[in-house]
Amino acid sequence: MWKRAFAGVFGAAAALRLQSLSGTRHASSISSVVNSMLLRSLKEHYLEVAKMTMPPKVSPPAPFTIVKGAIDSNGPVLKRDYGDEEISIYVMRMVNAYDDEDGTTDQLFLHVDVSKPGQEESLNFLCGLYEDALGIHSVSMRPKLENSGYLVVPSQYTGPVFEELDERMRDAFNNFIEERGVNESLFKFLQAWLYVKDHRNLMRWFKTMGMFIDGGKPAKDA
């Protein structure tokens, strides 16, 4: 979709530039034509994306709850309490993990943040999540999250490669997050949630691009 839309726009712009036109009036005319073509393409794609069917609504497995405003931020998606711990779930898509038929993704990356009151650092798991399995990629201690909700990149040693740990320790870490409800049961909700987020971001991208090209005015039917 991207290649077809923008190849035509920029191909036309290149053809116009090859013409031996001069003067401010001619340059302004060319710019107006290019802008009009780009705005038309952005609007067409905006309306096309707007017609896409959203997945059925899925609720997260209890006792996880959706973090308010998560759909419009880069913070955690789900949270729950486990004793005196707070469990926060962040999700992102694995690269090249799309299903060609419906555009959804069948592999997800999870950051699982386990924090305790009075502790300056939290325990962080990076996991791969699939419909029928969850695997830990790494375990590290990170600076405890405050109000921003963004993951903090550790500046110190983050521990050994997870696969190089003793098998019993790896099993123990897997049991640790399993007890806290972090398993494949999260997949359906997070897959649907990420699809809706991507759809909203794409709609916003077309709209804000159109508004910028059009001088800040809201695009019609957008």
Side-chain angles (χ1 to χ4, degrees):
M1 181 176 75
W2 294 98
K3 291 183 178 179
R4 291 197 306 271
F6 290 104
V9 171
F10 292 116
L16 287 169
R17 284 198 298 270
L18 291 175
Q19 298 180 28
S20 57
L21 298 176
S22 61
T24 304
R25 181 176 299 176
H26 292 304
S28 176
S29 177
I30 294 172
S31 177
S32 177
V33 170
V34 173
N35 287 357
S36 178
M37 294 174 66
L38 182 54
L39 282 169
R40 188 183 311 117
S41 181
L42 287 167
K43 180 179 179 180
E44 288 173 355
H45 285 81
Y46 177 93
L47 295 175
E48 182 180 342
V49 172
K51 296 176 183 177
M52 293 170 62
T53 303
M54 292 294 98
K57 187 174 181 180
V58 182
S59 298
F64 283 101
T65 58
I66 304 172
V67 177
K68 185 178 180 180
I71 197 78
D72 294 313
S73 77
N74 293 319
V77 178
L78 298 173
K79 282 192 175 184
R80 67 158 294 187
D81 293 328
Y82 183 84
D84 65 344
E85 300 172 353
E86 183 178 72
I87 316 298
S88 302
I89 305 291
Y90 300 73
V91 63
M92 63 194 77
R93 183 189 315 101
M94 284 186 175
V95 178
N96 298 324
Y98 281 111
D99 184 300
D100 291 336
E101 293 184 0
D102 58 10
T104 58
T105 180
D106 56 5
Q107 302 175 50
L108 304 173
F109 267 134
L110 296 189
H111 277 285
V112 182
D113 188 82
V114 183
S115 63
K116 294 185 178 183
Q119 298 280 354
E120 294 183 356
E121 293 186 311
S122 60
L123 183 60
N124 187 271
F125 295 83
L126 174 61
C127 305
L129 179 63
Y130 307 84
E131 187 171 5
D132 58 355
L134 180 141
I136 298 175
H137 290 292
S138 67
V139 183
S140 62
M141 298 300 298
R142 294 173 179 256
K144 190 174 181 180
L145 297 173
E146 298 299 337
N147 296 327
S148 67
Y150 289 86
L151 287 168
V152 180
V153 177
S155 59
Q156 300 178 349
Y157 176 65
T158 58
V161 176
F162 186 76
E163 288 301 318
E164 295 178 358
L165 293 175
D166 177 87
E167 182 178 358
R168 289 180 299 176
M169 184 175 290
R170 297 200 306 269
D171 289 342
F173 273 124
N174 277 292
N175 290 335
F176 180 88
I177 61 173
E178 177 73 28
E179 286 184 5
R180 286 153 179 78
V182 183
N183 54 46
E184 61 272 16
S185 68
L186 295 170
F187 182 83
K188 286 296 186 183
F189 167 79
L190 292 174
Q191 182 192 47
W193 183 90
L194 194 57
Y195 184 92
V196 173
K197 181 180 178 70
D198 287 347
H199 179 268
R200 182 175 297 194
N201 285 339
L202 186 56
M203 293 276 288
R204 185 182 294 117
W205 188 87
F206 284 128
K207 184 174 182 178
T208 54
M209 283 287 177
M211 290 177 66
F212 179 85
I213 299 299
D214 202 30
K217 296 179 292 184
K220 295 181 180 179
D221 300 323

